Amino acid sequence: MIQQIHFYDIPRNRDEDDRTWNPNTSKTRLTLTYKRLPYKTIWVEYPDIERVCKEIGAEPSAFGLLKEGKPYYSLPVIHDPNTGTTISDSIRIARYLDKTYPDTPAVIPAELEAFHAVFEDAFWDTIFMPLFPFLVPAACPQLNPRSEAYFRETREGKFGSILGGKMENWAPTGPVRDDRWKALQAGFTKMAGWLSADGQERPFFMGEKLCYTDIVVGAWLISVKKVFGSDHPEWLQVEKWDGGRWSRLVQVVENF
């Protein structure tokens, strides 16, 4: 019998049954669920992430992301007691789970490794960057007080000079927000075009079969839905974009 995998996630200030919100950790949560692997969640507040990662032997996920030349420790991280392995970064976790548990559905088939690597870069420019000034300020008040203070300080310190100082100025109501929202919508429409590049409409990037790329997009969409709220006017717009494609994807990933 497979022992429960330890999954490290960042909580929001909600009831125990609805504490998930982070798009990056959601990629791993969805991957574990899709592969039907048993796991337990260990909640870690933002100021504690580096310490916890060092304690469990998790490698930094990047260098210089928040501070020049400094290692950047982030979640998700998993520790697999079945193998004694600790892995950080969602795509590396997905690769590890595919390799270690080959009898579960693969999320990154070997023949699509290069595709997923290219997609990560394309998604960053097309969706992540336009979405960032909307999602980060909206996520901040969702966090517990210690995490909220740390999250605000570190993100404003790194990105405030580019986006307008305080988070409230990153996408304020009015022309600035309208223009940035149009850019985000254009990014999703561009991505929808990738899915029908040959003129054929397909629900997933592999056609009829879900893969890690769909999990990535679904995780970010679910994060927007949770952070904005399912009845928020802007989320209701997203649900209608591109013929309702993104609403249908959310329904699929939420179901599993």
Side-chain angles (χ1 to χ4, degrees):
M1 180 180 293
I2 299 175
Q3 297 182 63
Q4 284 186 322
I5 293 169
H6 302 172
F7 166 54
Y8 294 80
D9 197 357
I10 305 161
R12 64 176 182 156
N13 53 9
R14 295 294 187 273
D15 294 336
E16 186 68 32
D17 292 338
D18 191 27
R19 299 181 75 186
T20 61
W21 72 276
N22 185 283
N24 290 311
T25 58
S26 290
K27 298 174 198 174
T28 295
R29 185 180 293 277
L30 292 170
T31 299
L32 288 163
T33 306
Y34 181 67
K35 297 173 81 65
R36 297 178 184 174
L37 290 168
Y39 70 91
K40 68 176 182 179
T41 304
I42 300 169
W43 299 107
V44 183
E45 298 290 346
Y46 267 102
D48 303 325
I49 290 176
E50 181 173 347
R51 173 183 57 80
V52 170
C53 284
K54 288 179 177 178
E55 288 176 354
I56 64 176
E59 296 181 353
S61 54
F63 285 86
L65 188 61
L66 291 182
K67 294 182 180 179
E68 192 67 31
K70 298 292 185 181
Y72 173 67
Y73 291 89
S74 67
L75 301 184
V77 166
I78 65 164
H79 173 74
D80 186 353
N82 301 284
T83 63
T85 304
T86 301
I87 303 286
S88 55
D89 191 74
S90 56
I91 193 166
R92 288 187 289 189
I93 292 170
R95 291 186 180 118
Y96 165 82
L97 294 174
D98 276 350
K99 180 179 179 181
T100 307
Y101 301 98
D103 294 333
T104 63
V107 292
I108 306 180
E111 62 271 22
L112 290 183
E113 266 290 354
F115 165 77
H116 282 287
V118 171
F119 176 81
E120 290 272 310
D121 287 341
F123 184 85
W124 181 277
D125 292 334
T126 306
I127 303 298
F128 174 81
M129 293 304 294
L131 179 58
F132 188 82
F134 294 98
L135 188 61
V136 171
C140 199
Q142 303 269 328
L143 301 173
N144 290 315
R146 287 180 62 239
S147 283
E148 180 181 3
Y150 178 90
F151 189 76
R152 176 181 286 275
E153 178 184 357
T154 53
R155 274 60 184 175
E156 287 181 348
K158 177 66 176 181
F159 306 108
S161 60
I162 302 170
L163 293 172
K166 296 292 184 181
M167 286 185 183
E168 290 74 14
N169 297 326
W170 290 8
T173 301
V176 171
R177 190 175 186 89
D178 294 343
D179 288 345
R180 290 183 173 173
W181 190 251
K182 289 176 183 176
L184 177 61
Q185 182 178 4
F188 273 95
T189 298
K190 181 178 181 179
M191 185 164 60
W194 300 343
L195 284 153
S196 57
D198 60 354
Q200 301 297 315
E201 190 70 19
R202 52 182 57 80
F204 306 119
F205 280 89
M206 286 179 62
E208 298 298 322
K209 185 178 179 181
L210 183 141
C211 66
Y212 184 71
T213 303
D214 306 292
I215 287 175
V216 170
V217 179
W220 282 92
L221 285 165
I222 288 174
S223 181
V224 174
K225 180 180 179 180
K226 286 194 169 190
V227 169
F228 279 29
S230 59
D231 58 351
H232 191 280
E234 288 176 330
W235 170 251
L236 296 177
Q237 290 180 40
V238 174
E239 286 191 311
K240 296 177 182 178
W241 287 350
D242 306 305
R245 166 181 287 282
W246 312 117
S247 177
R248 292 192 294 273
L249 177 61
V250 166
Q251 290 174 9
V252 170
V253 295
E254 282 182 332
N255 283 341
F256 68 75

